[in-house]
Amino acid sequence: MKIRFYQTTWNGVDLVALAHSLGHSIRELPSSRFYEAYYQKISPHSLSEEWQYKKGCQTEWLKKQIDLYGDKRKPTLSIGAGTGIVEVPLIKSGHNIHLQECQKESLSLFGGTELTTCYYGSLDEIPQKEYNTITSLAMMYALDDDQLKSFFHSCANILESGGILILLDTSLSWQEIYSYLRNWRYFARNYLLWGFKRSVPHFLKLAKGFELLSKEYYDPYMKILPVKRIMQIPYNATPHWQMMVFQKK
Ligand SMILES: C[S@@+](CC[C@H](N)C(=O)[O-])C[C@H]1O[C@@H](n2cnc3c(N)ncnc32)[C@H](O)[C@@H]1O
């Protein structure tokens, strides 16, 4: 199961106006040029305290995952790291994390470019079998299915055999599916297409070469949510995030 989801603003930036100024159709997913223009509009001071606090919760969460699944002798690669706000505190405290982005505007915002190895653009330029652990937070939703398939393919090339891929993505629930079905015409006309929410089985169809080791659901502050599921889609609670840990076969 997969649904589209839409946004109008993000951290105070009017996304619909930005799309119009770039000649970008609101019915298409943001491109790297769109993200670049978005990041030109923000600074650490313009990011809301609430948003920064939630990202701090993700930093704690990421530390736990890297300590659990990472290989201490090798760096972890974070794909689509955005501002690097989640990773930079860990890098400063001694974790070896490399950063990747599809554009060049954002990784310097919290000093990531000064602290670690950064890659920009295609994942195919990252040396093969270089990493044992890859993380990607809040990025898969920004990809369509073909791009997501190609993301898994590239991760399989970058990881050594048995390597771990830790994904945190926006979660799907029956409540959201209901809301989407009721309102999609309105959203499609007035909001920017921001991405796709996918169920775990939908991810599995695209994750060729990987097996799922575990999954968990969280609230916005990264507290674990116990959920009941119908067809693998949560129904008794609306999780904000879903984590999927994959291992390269
Ligand atoms: C919502 S932001 C999340 C950023 C960061 N991971 C975080 O949690 O704060 C999504 C990021 O994905 C990046 N992105 C989108 N498509 C990408 C792609 N194909 N490859 C790498 N990064 C991409 C965007 O530039 C944006 O910074």
Side-chain angles (χ1 to χ4, degrees):
M1 172 70 82
K2 171 180 84 166
I3 60 169
R4 289 163 182 253
F5 81 105
Y6 298 86
Q7 287 284 12
T8 49
T9 57
W10 196 36
N11 258 305
V13 177
D14 183 333
L15 299 172
V16 176
L18 181 61
H20 290 323
S21 74
L22 294 171
H24 174 94
S25 162
I26 61 168
R27 290 170 185 244
E28 282 171 25
L29 285 174
S31 57
S32 53
R33 184 168 150 258
F34 185 98
Y35 281 108
E36 185 177 55
Y38 167 78
Y39 283 118
Q40 282 164 356
K41 287 186 174 293
I42 61 165
S43 71
H45 308 291
S46 69
L47 296 165
S48 78
E49 277 181 23
E50 170 71 3
W51 183 81
Q52 297 202 41
Y53 178 76
K54 287 177 184 163
K55 286 290 162 189
C57 300
Q58 291 184 5
T59 299
E60 290 304 308
W61 169 85
L62 183 60
K63 181 180 178 316
K64 269 190 220 144
Q65 306 313 320
I66 293 178
D67 289 348
L68 188 62
Y69 294 105
D71 178 340
K72 300 247 171 341
R73 296 159 302 168
K74 293 214 150 200
T76 293
L77 174 67
S78 177
I79 296 179
T83 62
I85 186 173
V86 176
E87 297 83 355
V88 163
L90 298 180
I91 297 169
K92 284 185 175 163
S93 69
H95 284 78
N96 192 0
I97 304 175
H98 295 175
L99 307 174
Q100 187 276 350
E101 252 299 325
C102 64
Q103 44 68 47
K104 287 196 166 164
E105 283 297 320
S106 60
L107 291 179
S108 58
L109 279 168
F110 286 94
T113 44
E114 307 286 309
L115 295 170
T116 191
T117 303
C118 295
Y119 298 99
Y120 303 98
S122 170
L123 294 177
D124 297 336
E125 281 158 32
I126 299 175
Q128 297 204 353
K129 300 195 175 20
E130 185 80 353
Y131 293 91
N132 177 267
T133 317
I134 295 177
T135 65
S136 189
L137 280 55
M139 205 277 289
M140 285 69 56
Y141 74 70
L143 309 179
D144 65 24
D145 277 8
D146 285 342
Q147 292 168 326
L148 189 52
K149 230 190 248 177
S150 145
F151 166 85
F152 278 112
H153 182 75
S154 301
C155 288
N157 286 338
I158 295 167
L159 285 171
E160 40 180 45
S161 153
I164 297 289
L165 175 60
I166 304 165
L167 304 181
L168 183 72
D169 202 26
T170 185
S171 186
L172 184 61
S173 65
W174 286 108
Q175 292 87 332
E176 284 162 315
I177 294 167
Y178 176 72
S179 160
Y180 170 74
L181 291 175
R182 283 194 64 133
N183 301 307
W184 71 267
R185 277 197 187 80
Y186 178 78
F187 290 148
R189 270 198 300 268
N190 299 292
Y191 287 29
L192 173 76
L193 174 63
W194 194 234
F196 298 94
K197 296 189 178 217
R198 298 175 171 97
S199 62
V200 173
H202 195 98
F203 269 96
L204 286 176
K205 273 195 281 179
L206 305 174
K208 292 271 174 301
F210 287 91
E211 73 174 306
L212 185 66
L213 290 187
S214 77
K215 59 176 184 284
E216 271 171 4
Y217 299 91
Y218 303 91
D219 76 3
Y221 303 97
M222 302 309 292
K223 297 241 162 57
I224 290 187
L225 276 180
V227 299
K228 295 185 178 130
R229 294 185 293 267
I230 299 178
M231 292 160 59
Q232 290 293 323
I233 299 171
Y235 76 90
N236 64 324
T238 310
H240 205 84
W241 299 109
Q242 72 192 11
M243 173 182 78
M244 288 159 288
V245 180
F246 291 95
Q247 182 162 40
K248 182 176 161 180
K249 284 182 195 159

